Structure formats: C-alpha cells, structure tokens
C-alpha cells in the first residue's frame, strides 16, 4: 500500500504539468471571451487592497473568518433542532444525541481562536514570507480558474488522505497530533477546526502548498480556499441535508462519509472525494439515516 502511495506522490509533479499544459491551451482558445468579466472582478478585489492581500497574516485570518462565517447557518440549525422535529430529523445521529449546546459551541470557539493566535497565525506568516506571493495585473480566464481550482482540490485531497492515513497508522502521531480531533465522536460544524495546533497548522500548510504547487492565480487560490472551508464545515456539520453537495455530486463523501470515520475511528481518510478510500480498501459505507 505504501509503495502505491509513494508512486502517487511521485506523479504529482507530472500531473500538475499536464494540467497546466491543458489549461494553457484552453486559456488561449477561450480566455479572450472570458477575461473581461474576471478582469473586472479581479480589479474590484484588489482595488486599494494590495497591502492587505499580500499580508503574511492573510491566509490564517481568511481561513478562520471564512470558517466561522460558514459555521453560522449550522449554529442556527443546531438551535432550531432543539425545538423543531423536522430539523432534528436531518441530523445523522438524530437518535444518538441532541444537537450541541451553545456552551459547546462557545468552548470550541475559544479553543480554536487560541490555537490560531498562538500557532497557526505566526507559522503561516513565516510560510508566506518564504512563498512571497504577488498580484498579477491580469485576471485568469474562466477556464483557467476552473482548472486551477479542480487541480488544487485533487492535489489537496491526495495529500490530506496520505497525511490522515499516516496519523492513524503511526501511534505516536495519532496520540500527539490527531487524537484531540477525535474527541468529537458526533461532530458539529465548528469541530472541523477543533484539533491540535500541529494538525490545524499542517492542514492549512497542505492547502497553501497545493495552491503553490499548482502555481495558480491568486483569484483561483482564494476560490479554492473558500470552497475548501465550506466543504470542511459541511463534512463536520452532523447533518445530511437534502440539498447537501454530496447528494448533487456522488463522487463526494459529504457529512455521512466523514461521520462514519468519527464513529469508528478508521476508514474514510480522504477529506472530500471517495476514490482514494476505494482504491486502498479503506472505504466505510455511511450508516443509514433519516431522509
């Protein structure tokens, strides 16, 4: 199995080069028609904000704030779940436990904030200084944006799978880095960030490194991180909603897929897609739940 993983890692560079080559061809063909739309958007985003966008503290701030923003609808659902049977029926473990209380949310928030301020923020700032990002004048084409975001997700999903599987297979890593995240046998949205400082930092660095390896446009990278935050929140939200992304896109695992991992502490190691778990025999079918 590990030989297969090492081969997959060695092919990342080749895959990224092929993706960029395809992207360049299609950008040439379609970029002119799409560029004006995204150029207006890009100019709007960076207008007078260059110093802020290039700040070394921006990645950690962006990650935390988008995560908190995306958690707010699920905080409302958890509050409604205590009085509304319909909302409660959407919970994956509706019969196992009630929705998390406001006190649980509050305690989790302060833990996450403390870890970001003391570890994630300073280390990612150093990483950004080494990376030295720039803001190009031209916006990406729509096709370039699409391909770069998909490439980032495929690369991040593979790296996350390898790192997650390693943490579970190496006892020292599990005890010292990952075990804290598994305190939540039944997850809720904010629990996606309730992990050890080392794990929070490693996952953010994996996301930043994925965008760096793909060499994507800052607008593509921002969209990648935005969607990445939403998927992480949705994976941990504890709800199997009728409009959830995994119901629309069957190759995504979604909240039931990740809840199965937290329930049995093994299997379903990939964050979003299911193909790596199918390939390595670590896929665990989610339990049945109310529709």
């Amino acid at each position: 199995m590990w030989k297969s993983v090492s081969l997959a890692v060695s092919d990342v560079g080749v895959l990224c080069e092929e993706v960029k080559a395809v992207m360049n061809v299609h950008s040439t063909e379609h970029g002119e028609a799409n560029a004006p739309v995204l150029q207006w958007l890009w100019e709007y985003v960076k207008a007078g904000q260059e110093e802020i966008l290039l700040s070394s503290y921006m990645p950690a701030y962006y990650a935390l704030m988008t995560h908190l923003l995306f958690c707010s609808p699920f905080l409302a659902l958890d509050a409604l779940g205590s009085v509304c049977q319909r909302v409660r029926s959407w919970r994956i473990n509706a019969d196992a436990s009630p929705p998390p209380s406001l006190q649980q949310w509050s305690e989790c928030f302060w833990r996450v904030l403390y870890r970001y301020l003391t570890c994630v923020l300073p280390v990612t700032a150093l990483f950004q200084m080494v990376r030295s990002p720039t803001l190009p004048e031209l916006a990406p084409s729509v096709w370039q944006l699409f391909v770069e975001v998909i490439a980032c997700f495929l690369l991040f999903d593979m790296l996350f799978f390898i790192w997650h599987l390693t943490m579970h297979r190496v006892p020292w890593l599990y005890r010292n880095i990952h075990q804290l995240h598994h305190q939540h046998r039944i997850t809720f949205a904010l629990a996606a960030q309730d992990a050890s400082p080392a794990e929070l930092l490693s996952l953010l660095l994996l996301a930043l490194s994925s965008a760096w390896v793909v060499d994507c446009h800052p607008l593509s990278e921002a969209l990648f991180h935005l969607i990445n935050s939403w998927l992480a929140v949705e994976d941990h939200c504890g709800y199997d909603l009728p409009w959830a992304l995994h119901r629309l896109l069957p190759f995504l695992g979604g909240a039931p897929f990740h809840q199965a991992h937290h329930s049995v502490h093994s299997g379903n190691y990939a964050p979003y897609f299911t193909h790596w778990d199918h390939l390595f025999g670590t896929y665990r079918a989610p339990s049945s739940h109310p529709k």
Side-chain angles (χ1 to χ4, degrees), residues 36 46 104 117 148 193 234 248 291:
K46 68 174 186 175
Q104 287 176 281
L117 292 176
E148 287 179 344
Q193 296 285 294
E234 189 178 64
L248 303 174
K291 302 296 181 186

Side-chain angles (χ1 to χ4, degrees), residues 158-177:
M158 185 192 73
L159 295 176
F160 188 111
F161 173 83
I162 295 170
W163 175 228
H164 194 187
L165 179 62
T166 302
M167 287 192 290
H168 274 268
R169 296 295 171 86
V170 179
W172 186 90
L173 290 175
Y174 183 81
R175 288 194 308 269
N176 293 279
I177 296 179

Side-chain angles (χ1 to χ4, degrees), residues 73-94:
F74 297 105
L75 174 59
L77 283 179
D78 285 345
L80 287 172
S82 60
V83 295
C84 178
Q85 178 59 36
R86 179 61 176 171
V87 172
R88 194 156 54 245
S89 71
W90 292 334
R91 286 188 58 78
I92 298 171
N93 292 281

Side-chain angles (χ1 to χ4, degrees), residues 122-249:
V123 177
T124 53
L126 289 174
F127 179 83
Q128 284 297 94
M129 291 178 186
V130 173
R131 186 183 174 193
S132 301
T134 58
L135 299 179
E137 291 297 322
L138 296 178
S141 69
V142 171
W143 175 253
Q144 180 184 350
L145 183 82
F146 173 78
V147 172
E148 287 179 344
V149 171
I150 295 299
C152 284
F153 269 111
L154 291 174
L155 178 57
F156 175 75
D157 192 78
M158 185 192 73
L159 295 176
F160 188 111
F161 173 83
I162 295 170
W163 175 228
H164 194 187
L165 179 62
T166 302
M167 287 192 290
H168 274 268
R169 296 295 171 86
V170 179
W172 186 90
L173 290 175
Y174 183 81
R175 288 194 308 269
N176 293 279
I177 296 179
H178 191 51
Q179 188 174 25
L180 186 62
H181 184 61
H182 275 280
Q183 67 181 301
H184 300 287
R185 186 175 177 83
I186 298 176
T187 61
F188 61 101
L190 193 55
Q193 296 285 294
D194 196 7
S196 69
E199 182 169 0
L200 280 176
L201 179 61
S202 67
L203 297 184
L204 184 53
L205 289 177
L206 282 182
L208 292 170
S209 299
S210 297
W212 194 7
V213 169
V214 173
D215 190 27
C216 58
H217 191 280
L219 198 59
S220 304
E221 182 176 354
L223 182 59
F224 161 63
H225 291 309
L226 190 71
I227 300 174
N228 190 28
S229 292
W230 170 256
L231 290 176
V233 168
E234 189 178 64
D235 270 4
H236 290 81
C237 71
Y239 290 91
D240 187 8
L241 299 170
W243 56 84
L245 282 176
H246 69 274
R247 290 180 175 271
L248 303 174
L249 305 172

